[in-house]
DNA sequence: ATCCGGGGAT
DNA sequence: ATCCCAGGAT
């Protein structure tokens, strides 16, 4: 029965929102920047990504997709070095930029008019773009209603005994999308709240369950 | 199962 | 000086 899971997810959302308020969170100033961040943040912390983005901004190459594309790969690697896996990510970012260039010429409103089920597989077909990166681009840069799942999401739901630890990406995504109506602001805010809870309370080591907004939903946490 | 690399915590 | 953290490809 999944009416129970639906109620639980909505209550968790409400609890986080009540404690933390609206996040107003967007992982970048522009859609282009969101795409850059989506690649750079693969398997790395946001603090590192921020440094890399700043370096790109200061170098003036973040102004347009063309500027980024015309940057030699060696220069790109060096600029994004703080984000880690920098040679790999320079290639992956280039792949994504090339895709965006010929899919829409960096006019993201064109992509916003396309079907999620059409665009998502195409994005996943780009080498270096996996499900999380694709969903992050689709939700935050394009504005299509796909739920972004990450290690934080997995950890929080697993610790609340809602999913197995090794649940595949698409199944975890379905946990949300099977139950939540397609709603970009809702998906945006839900993900943002999970990220904030994971960072401040549901940390990988030394979690602070006692005063976590999701404490009431813990096994034996009352309610 | 292993590789790719950095920053922060311990 | 290590250990730990976080996606995707092969």
């Amino acid at each position: 029965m999944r009416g129970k899971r639906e109620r639980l997810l909505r209550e968790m959302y409400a609890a986080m929102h009540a404690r933390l308020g609206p996040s107003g969170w967007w992982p970048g100033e522009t859609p282009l920047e969101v795409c850059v961040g989506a690649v750079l943040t693969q398997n790395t912390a946001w603090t590192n990504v921020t440094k890399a983005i700043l370096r790109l901004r200061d170098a003036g190459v973040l102004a347009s997709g063309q500027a980024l594309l015309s940057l030699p790969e060696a220069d790109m690697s060096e600029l994004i070095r703080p984000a880690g896996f920098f040679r790999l990510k320079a290639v992956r970012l280039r792949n994504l930029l090339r895709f965006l260039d010929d899919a829409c010429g960096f006019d993201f409103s064109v992509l916003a008019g396309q079907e999620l089920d059409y665009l998502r597989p195409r994005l996943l077909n780009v080498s270096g773009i996996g499900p999380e990166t694709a969903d992050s681009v689709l939700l935050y840069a394009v504005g299509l209603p796909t739920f972004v799942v990450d290690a934080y999401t997995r950890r929080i739901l697993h610790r609340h005994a809602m999913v197995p630890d090794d649940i595949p990406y698409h199944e975890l995504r379905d946990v949300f999308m099977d139950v939540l109506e397609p709603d970009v602001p809702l998906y945006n805010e839900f993900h943002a709240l999970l990220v904030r809870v994971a960072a401040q309370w549901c940390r990988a080591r030394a979690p602070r369950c006692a005063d976590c907004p999701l404490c009431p939903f813990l096994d034996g946490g009352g309610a």
Side-chain angles (χ1 to χ4, degrees):
Chain A
M1 166 161 293
R2 77 134 186 272
K4 185 174 177 180
R5 169 173 277 171
E6 170 172 5
R7 200 183 66 244
L8 182 52
L9 283 176
R10 290 191 190 281
E11 284 175 2
M12 290 170 77
Y13 177 87
M16 290 190 292
H17 199 273
R19 272 281 290 279
L20 305 180
S23 304
W25 187 69
W26 217 270
E29 302 272 329
T30 65
L32 181 64
E33 213 175 285
V34 170
C35 294
V36 173
V39 171
L40 295 187
T41 199
Q42 287 173 1
N43 220 47
T44 100
W46 252 101
T47 55
N48 298 354
V49 177
T50 303
K51 289 170 191 150
I53 300 251
L54 262 296
R55 290 165 61 107
L56 291 170
R57 243 188 238 165
D58 291 345
V61 290
L62 217 45
S64 74
Q66 292 308 330
L68 277 173
L69 267 177
S70 59
L71 187 67
E73 195 173 299
D75 297 0
M76 174 64 77
S77 303
E78 201 47 45
L79 284 170
I80 67 175
R81 191 177 189 112
F85 304 107
F86 50 92
R87 295 179 193 87
L88 202 48
K89 286 174 180 176
V91 173
R92 292 178 176 184
L93 181 53
R94 167 173 301 284
N95 291 343
L96 176 57
L97 291 168
R98 273 206 283 255
F99 169 83
L100 292 169
D101 191 19
D102 58 53
C104 67
F106 297 104
D107 180 355
F108 288 84
S109 66
V110 169
L111 301 182
Q114 298 181 359
E115 288 296 328
L116 184 60
D117 292 332
Y118 168 84
L119 188 54
R120 191 173 188 269
R122 260 155 245 279
L123 222 29
L124 289 174
N125 196 40
V126 176
S127 178
I129 307 304
E132 181 181 338
T133 309
D135 284 331
S136 188
V137 167
L138 288 165
L139 180 67
Y140 288 105
V142 180
L144 287 171
T146 186
F147 202 93
V148 180
V149 156
D150 59 10
Y152 301 147
T153 314
R154 179 173 283 99
R155 184 163 70 226
I156 291 173
L157 266 65
H158 175 246
R159 283 181 175 169
H160 286 260
M162 296 170 69
V163 301
D165 186 28
D166 58 349
I167 184 174
Y169 183 96
H170 68 276
E171 288 182 25
L172 185 51
R173 176 174 178 263
D174 284 347
V175 166
F176 292 88
M177 294 189 69
D178 281 351
V179 133
L180 268 23
E181 65 280 11
D183 181 332
V184 170
L186 172 64
Y187 288 3
N188 179 330
E189 181 66 10
F190 209 141
H191 180 251
L193 289 168
L194 288 170
V195 169
R196 293 168 70 193
V197 165
Q200 297 178 48
W201 294 279
C202 202
R203 308 179 300 178
R205 19 180 195 178
R208 305 163 161 166
C209 300
D211 61 330
C212 175
L214 295 178
C215 164
F217 301 92
L218 226 36
D219 248 0

